[in-house]
Amino acid sequence: MTTTLRSCVIDDEPLASGLIASYIEKTPFMTLVGEFSSPRDAIQLILDGGADVVFLDIQMPQLNGIEFARIIPPSTRIVFTTAFDTYAVEGFRVNALDYLLKPVSYEEFLAAANRALQWVEMARSGSAANSGSSSSNDYIIVKSEYKLVQIPVNDILYIEGLKDYVKIYTTDNDRCIMTLMSMKTLERSLPADRFMRVHRSFIVNTGKIKVIERNRIVFGKTYIPVSESYKQAFSDYVTARSILPRLDDNTE
């Protein structure tokens, strides 16, 4: 089945809005479901799940694009269209799919649209694979090096947080997958019954833990520290699944 992207435009500049709308209408795999001059006018459509991708201006009165992006469901992807490059980092912090500077050419638009199409197709295929199952999704999709990467949850060993970025280490990849995302955002996307925060900078896949040494989790040559804040919860987890006594509170 051919995927069609339900797309809408939110921009208080009529010429800019009309240009993006015309791009949508001439792109075979897209359909225009709305053209709005204010985020407030579009909010019901988006919260009802009526759009797959939103082309969103940033500088608008009453409610700007960054603020609006924070309340958009993660199933709706955001492409910012703006005349200012000063918002780029903040835009990606709200998990924008792309960031286009005005005036936007059709080539730039089409590249962003194809990324959105790829994301939606991957998300839908993952949902189809998991249909009929009560477990959490088996895949997460992240943006890395301007590409969308689908990662099987079961392949993740651990995740390391570095300020605005996270590094995802997997069983079948010698190098990590880096993406611009907060640890809190990624943690919410992972099944809680399989992943545990053990440090402000580390989340581990509990099913992949083989060795614990001196209050550190060992993955090959990498040692993941268990910090004091998470020590009790981790100790309880280990104790509940082992025939050993509780981890020594005096262990370093």
Side-chain angles (χ1 to χ4, degrees):
M1 180 182 295
T2 303
T3 300
T4 299
L5 285 183
R6 300 166 300 164
S7 313
C8 79
V9 185
I10 306 174
D11 197 321
D12 63 338
E13 299 176 14
L15 290 178
S17 179
L19 179 65
I20 298 298
S22 71
Y23 287 167
I24 292 171
E25 290 177 329
K26 77 174 187 178
T27 304
F29 58 82
M30 305 183 83
T31 183
L32 182 65
V33 295
E35 185 178 354
F36 305 95
S37 60
S38 165
R40 295 181 185 276
D41 297 334
I43 191 167
Q44 196 59 54
L45 170 74
I46 294 171
L47 292 181
D48 288 344
D52 299 309
V53 59
V54 179
F55 291 86
L56 180 63
D57 188 22
I58 292 181
Q59 284 200 335
M60 291 180 286
Q62 297 182 326
L63 184 66
N64 69 41
I66 297 292
E67 294 168 338
F68 185 62
R70 294 192 177 105
I71 64 174
I72 290 178
S75 57
T76 300
R77 305 307 296 171
I78 303 163
V79 176
F80 282 118
T81 58
T82 179
F84 305 94
D85 60 4
T86 53
Y87 294 102
V89 172
E90 193 169 0
F92 284 116
R93 281 178 180 162
V94 294
N95 206 23
L97 189 66
D98 213 332
Y99 189 100
L100 304 179
L101 287 176
K102 298 176 182 177
V104 179
S105 70
Y106 182 65
E107 288 74 20
E108 292 170 326
F109 168 86
L110 190 58
N114 275 306
R115 279 191 282 273
L117 178 66
Q118 182 185 7
W119 190 94
V120 169
E121 287 180 335
M122 290 171 71
R124 289 178 181 173
S125 66
S127 296
N130 291 322
S131 61
S133 171
S134 60
S135 62
S136 301
N137 287 340
D138 289 333
Y139 297 88
I140 59 171
I141 299 171
V142 300
K143 183 166 61 176
S144 180
E145 297 178 351
Y146 302 100
K147 297 178 291 185
L148 294 173
V149 182
Q150 181 172 266
I151 307 171
V153 165
N154 196 48
D155 287 353
I156 298 173
L157 289 174
Y158 65 93
I159 297 154
E160 180 181 7
L162 298 169
K163 199 176 180 180
D164 296 326
Y165 289 84
V166 296
K167 291 182 176 181
I168 302 172
Y169 295 84
T170 66
T171 56
D172 62 350
N173 201 331
D174 292 334
R175 66 183 183 86
C176 67
I177 298 166
M178 182 179 290
T179 183
L180 184 59
M181 184 184 298
S182 71
M183 287 284 277
K184 184 178 293 186
T185 298
L186 184 53
E187 187 176 14
R188 286 198 298 261
S189 302
L190 296 169
D193 60 335
R194 285 188 273 173
F195 288 83
M196 177 177 287
R197 189 83 169 259
V198 297
H199 189 280
R200 63 178 298 180
S201 300
F202 290 99
I203 298 170
V204 299
N205 183 341
T206 54
K208 300 297 183 182
I209 296 174
K210 305 297 182 185
V211 178
I212 302 169
E213 179 183 315
R214 297 174 64 83
N215 214 36
R216 297 176 298 177
I217 301 163
V218 183
F219 291 108
K221 296 181 180 180
T222 301
Y223 289 78
I224 307 297
V226 179
S227 71
E228 195 65 34
S229 300
Y230 299 94
K231 185 176 180 180
Q232 186 61 55
F234 183 66
S235 175
D236 291 343
Y237 171 83
V238 173
T239 301
R241 289 160 178 79
S242 69
I243 58 173
L244 299 174
R246 180 178 294 273
L247 292 178
D248 186 358
D249 288 341
N250 295 319
T251 303
E252 295 180 4

